[in-house]
């Protein structure tokens, strides 16, 4: 059995090496059609002994694909894009399938990653990318479709759970240049056939990838008018149409189209999952619970009806946990969080949520640390203790965090993470000089290997607060000259300006995108009860271009336990600005008004 890899490429140096590295473990020959690369793509391809054919680009993906297929000598053809790669651990399984199958095409499960730097969050689709030679060809100038080469070939596809990584949906990759290339090609096809539902769907996808949900919806609606429910793209069309309606806050219409989707494709649980998310956003918790429980009871959907990952288990368990958490039903919330953790035991965000939940459940705070420890196989293993200490610090259980920290303070691995936790413990003990030096030790380290999130970014924020608090108390032991060069190195101009606004009170108008960093500063200052510094720093709120700053300030007070001040600022927002948001309504209903 001989397998040929066929690719078309242009300027793909970013990912092509990992693509070829994975595929070379499966295939016997590599055929690459290059349509005009000017970067290192060809040099990298040559390292894998590829057969490279260079042709001019003619605005026709199907034609270029077929040119690559014509060169293949294998029994089977594998088609990959440069930003795709096989999961190495699935390659032997794929070999076994190819040896035994009677099918002439194999469906693979694509993981389309949507978070930079993480492979935890992705949506999925099934793609037929391995097929017998001389059976199929591609048709279509863009989003080309695989079709039988003639009427004598019967389609026989075997779906599998063999996985493919796909990085093309990341914001850094699905950029303006791709849209500038794709949209004219699709428009030309629509000029020839304005009712082409598939190309209308493709045009909608282009605008959706640009976050232009109104224009995307326009094309999805046009595509839906001529939909053919027997075609593979139709389930995706329904899902994306519903997502656009949801983004545009037209949730009743979104729920209606999801209802149609469930009727047409009852095995697709992702429709039900999105329906549950919408119900939850409107606090229709009973309906949301029913939707998420239905996802779990229905089980895994067929690959061609799967768009999101893990909605039959992990995602739905987490959503159920969140709903019960919002209702203060902590026992049920914990039960569902633990079910989710059982499916992904290294999901750190969930561990932090469980820590928050345990802190609310137990007045004896010793139980919080002990319960967290039970979630790990070894309560003294450094990776586990780092997370436990970080959770306890986040939950303001400083003494308990310090006790667990003793288990790892002399370890020689993850030195910067240990230094970072030590600095935060000192910070919350108001030992600002020692904390300042420790945070700078992290920032000046050449290690840059961290288990904990945002260690370097947060270290600089903490160091600045140490400087401010030390000066406020008349100590002047934290030197500004040690942190200014680090601030100057920041590439993000807005982030840099936030630092300077706190340090020297520069008058800059900030967009809403600066709010998370500003509010972290204010919350940490309030957390260490430096009230005078907090009051002085509140002037920065006047520099934010937002009508919700009073509500945001109310939330800062609320999460730090100052409920009366939270109420006062919420009322100010209503009276002075006539502004009230969903988060404020939730706090009012929970803490100050009658239960819903």
């Amino acid at each position: 059995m001989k397998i040929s890899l066929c690719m078309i490429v242009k300027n793909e140096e970013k990912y092509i090496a990992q693509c070829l590295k994975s595929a070379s473990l499966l295939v016997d020959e590599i055929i690459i059609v290059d349509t005009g690369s000017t970067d290192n793509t060809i040099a990298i391809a040559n390292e894998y002994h590829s057969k490279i054919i260079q042709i001019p680009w003619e605005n026709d993906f199907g034609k270029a694909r077929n040119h690559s297929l014509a060169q293949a000598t294998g029994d089977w053809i594998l088609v990959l894009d440069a930003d795709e790669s096989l999961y190495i651990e699935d390659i032997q399984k794929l070999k076994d399938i190819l040896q035994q199958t009677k099918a002439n095409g194999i469906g693979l499960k694509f993981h389309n990653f949507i978070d930079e730097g993480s492979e935890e969050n992705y949506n999925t689709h099934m793609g037929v990318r391995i097929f017998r030679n001389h059976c199929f060809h591609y048709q279509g100038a863009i989003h080309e479709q695989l079709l039988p080469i003639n009427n004598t070939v019967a389609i026989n596809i075997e779906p599998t759970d063999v996985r493919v990584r796909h990085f093309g949906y990341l914001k850094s990759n699905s950029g303006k240049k791709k849209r500038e290339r794709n949209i004219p090609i699709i428009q030309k096809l629509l000029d020839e056939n304005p009712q082409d539902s598939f190309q209308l769907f493709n045009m909608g996808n282009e605008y959706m990838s640009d976050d232009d949900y109104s224009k995307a919806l326009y094309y999805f609606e046009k595509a839906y008018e001529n939909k053919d429910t027997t075609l593979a793209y139709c389930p995706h069309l329904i899902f994306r149409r519903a997502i656009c309606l949801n983004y545009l806050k037209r949730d009743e219409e979104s729920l209606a189209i999801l209802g149609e989707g469930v009727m047409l494709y009852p095995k697709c649980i992702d429709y039900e999952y999105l329906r549950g998310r919408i119900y939850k956003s409107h606090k229709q918790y009973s309906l949301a619970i029913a939707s998420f429980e239905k996802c779990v009871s229905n089980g895994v959907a067929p690959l061609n009806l799967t768009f999101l990952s893990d909605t039959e288990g992990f995602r739905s368990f987490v959503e159920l946990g969140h709903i019960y958490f919002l209702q203060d039903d902590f026992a049920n919330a914990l039960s569902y969080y633990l079910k989710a953790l059982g499916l992904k035991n290294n999901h750190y965000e969930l561990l932090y949520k469980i820590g928050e939940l345990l802190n609310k459940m137990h007045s004896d705070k010793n139980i919080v640390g002990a319960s967290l420890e039970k979630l790990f196989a070894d309560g003294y293993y450094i990776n586990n203790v780092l997370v436990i200490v970080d959770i306890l610090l986040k939950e303001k259980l400083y003494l308990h965090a310090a006790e667990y920290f003793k288990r790892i303070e002399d370890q020689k691995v993850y030195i910067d993470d240990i230094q970072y936790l030590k600095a935060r413990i000192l910070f919350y003990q108001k030992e600002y000089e020692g904390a300042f030096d420790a945070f700078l030790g992290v920032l000046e380290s050449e290690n840059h290997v961290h288990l904990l999130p945002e260690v370097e970014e947060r270290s600089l924020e903490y160091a600045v607060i140490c400087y401010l608090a030390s000066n406020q108390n008349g100590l002047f032991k934290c030197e500004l000259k040690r942190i200014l060069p680090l601030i100057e190195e920041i590439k993000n101009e807005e982030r840099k300006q936030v630092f300077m606004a706190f340090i020297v009170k520069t008058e800059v108008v900030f967009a809403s995108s600066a709010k998370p960093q500003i509010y972290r500063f204010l919350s940490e200052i309030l957390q260490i009860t430096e009230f005078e510094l907090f009051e002085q720093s509140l002037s920065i709120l006047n520099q934010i271009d937002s009508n919700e700053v009073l509500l945001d300030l109310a939330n800062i007070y609320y999460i730090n336990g100052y409920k009366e001040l939270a109420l006062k600022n919420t009322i100010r927002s209503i009276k002075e600005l006539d502004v009230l948001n969903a988060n404020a309504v939730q706090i009012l209903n929970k803490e100050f008004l009658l239960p819903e």
Side-chain angles (χ1 to χ4, degrees), residues 346-514:
N346 62 344
H347 198 279
Y348 286 145
E349 287 182 21
L350 189 54
L351 288 168
Y352 284 82
K353 194 66 182 178
I354 291 172
E356 181 185 357
L357 177 60
L358 291 169
N359 196 20
K360 289 182 178 294
M361 290 178 70
H362 301 293
S363 56
D364 181 355
K365 302 306 178 185
N366 291 314
I367 298 176
V368 178
S371 298
L372 282 171
E373 188 175 345
K374 288 178 182 177
L375 298 177
F376 298 94
D378 184 350
Y380 283 80
Y381 181 53
I382 185 169
N383 298 46
N384 301 340
V385 181
L386 285 170
V387 174
I388 292 171
V389 173
D390 196 37
I391 293 171
L392 293 173
L393 287 174
K394 184 175 181 293
E395 293 305 312
K396 305 179 180 65
L397 301 177
Y398 307 127
L399 294 177
H400 300 82
E403 283 300 310
Y404 275 92
F405 181 73
K406 292 176 182 178
R407 298 183 180 185
I408 57 170
E409 59 184 337
D410 296 324
Q411 293 275 354
K412 302 302 180 186
V413 292
Y414 291 115
I415 295 172
D416 287 350
D417 290 63
I418 292 172
Q419 180 90 327
Y420 172 66
L421 292 178
K422 176 184 176 181
R424 286 173 62 202
I425 290 168
L426 292 171
F427 174 80
Y428 293 122
Q429 293 171 343
K430 298 194 176 188
E431 295 182 25
Y432 299 128
E433 184 180 2
F436 183 80
D437 289 337
F439 285 126
L440 284 178
V442 173
L443 292 165
E444 293 166 356
S445 169
E446 297 181 358
N447 189 11
H448 306 300
V449 177
H450 306 294
L451 176 74
L452 299 175
E454 299 181 328
V455 168
E456 293 179 30
E457 295 88 339
R458 298 303 305 279
S459 288
L460 186 53
E461 292 177 10
Y462 281 118
V464 169
I465 297 172
C466 287
Y467 162 77
L468 296 171
S470 177
N471 284 7
Q472 186 70 40
N473 295 329
L475 299 176
F476 304 105
K477 291 185 177 181
C478 301
E479 296 178 299
L480 180 59
K481 66 181 182 181
R482 295 180 64 188
I483 51 177
L484 280 179
L486 298 169
I487 294 171
E488 284 301 317
E489 291 175 2
I490 296 173
K491 294 179 180 179
N492 184 309
E493 192 62 29
E494 182 180 72
R495 179 168 165 77
K496 184 189 298 185
Q497 289 175 343
V498 170
F499 279 111
M500 299 312 295
F502 275 98
I503 293 170
V504 294
K505 309 300 181 188
T506 54
E507 294 188 6
V508 178
V509 177
F510 292 107
S512 292
S513 55

Side-chain angles (χ1 to χ4, degrees), residues 225-241:
E225 291 172 7
N226 300 306
K227 68 182 182 295
D228 181 344
T229 57
T230 65
L231 297 180
Y233 73 90
C234 193
H236 296 262
L237 169 62
I238 293 170
F239 190 68
R240 293 178 190 188
R241 184 181 171 210

Side-chain angles (χ1 to χ4, degrees), residues 32-33 78 122 127 147 176-177 254 281 290 311 377 390 433 464 490 511 527 549 585 591:
I32 294 180
V33 169
L78 167 66
Y122 54 85
L147 299 173
K176 185 178 179 182
K177 287 184 178 179
S254 186
S281 71
T311 51
D390 196 37
E433 184 180 2
V464 169
I490 296 173
Q527 208 165 315
V549 289
V585 170
E591 299 291 346

